[in-house]
Amino acid sequence: MNEILILILALLTGLGLGGIFFGGLWWTVQNGVSSTRPGLLFFISLVLRSSIVLAGFYIIAAGQWKRLLPCLFGFVMARLIVIQLTRSAETSICPTKEPRHAPEP
């Protein structure tokens, strides 16, 4: 029973790590457009998000691949959740299906 609880916690941690990584990516893209130094913003965001996720995987796995699998599964599930949430937010902001592009000069 204790092992099942650990695997469920690993899954939930993977969901959290995925939310941090992909939510942070979405936030970075949204704010990178209006940033004065977008390259620096994207680089710092990548390093920070990757460091958090890799440290989380390392701590959760604790040298056991059985703990890493549900964590990775939760990470991928979080990606799908963030995609769904950001698509619904995008359609509420821009309900038309017209392509968004820069205005022509």
Side-chain angles (χ1 to χ4, degrees):
M1 183 65 175
N2 194 20
E3 185 68 25
I4 294 173
L5 180 63
I6 291 173
L7 296 178
I8 290 171
L9 289 174
L11 176 72
L12 294 175
T13 303
L15 280 168
L17 290 172
I20 290 170
F21 187 85
F22 295 109
L25 176 61
W26 181 78
W27 180 87
T28 303
V29 170
Q30 294 297 315
N31 291 318
V33 175
S34 61
S35 176
T36 57
R37 300 183 75 180
L40 183 63
L41 177 66
F42 277 89
F43 178 73
I44 290 174
S45 173
L46 173 68
V47 169
L48 185 63
R49 288 180 293 116
S50 298
S51 299
I52 291 170
V53 169
L54 288 174
F57 283 160
Y58 181 76
I59 291 168
I60 290 300
Q64 298 181 10
W65 65 270
K66 291 180 183 179
R67 292 183 184 181
L68 187 61
L69 287 180
C71 191
L72 289 172
F73 183 70
F75 186 81
V76 172
M77 284 177 52
R79 177 184 179 267
L80 299 174
I81 292 169
V82 169
I83 287 173
Q84 288 299 320
L85 291 175
T86 55
R87 278 192 184 153
S88 63
E90 182 179 288
T91 55
S92 66
I93 293 171
C94 183
T96 62
K97 294 292 183 182
E98 296 177 16
R100 297 186 312 180
H101 52 79
E104 296 180 21

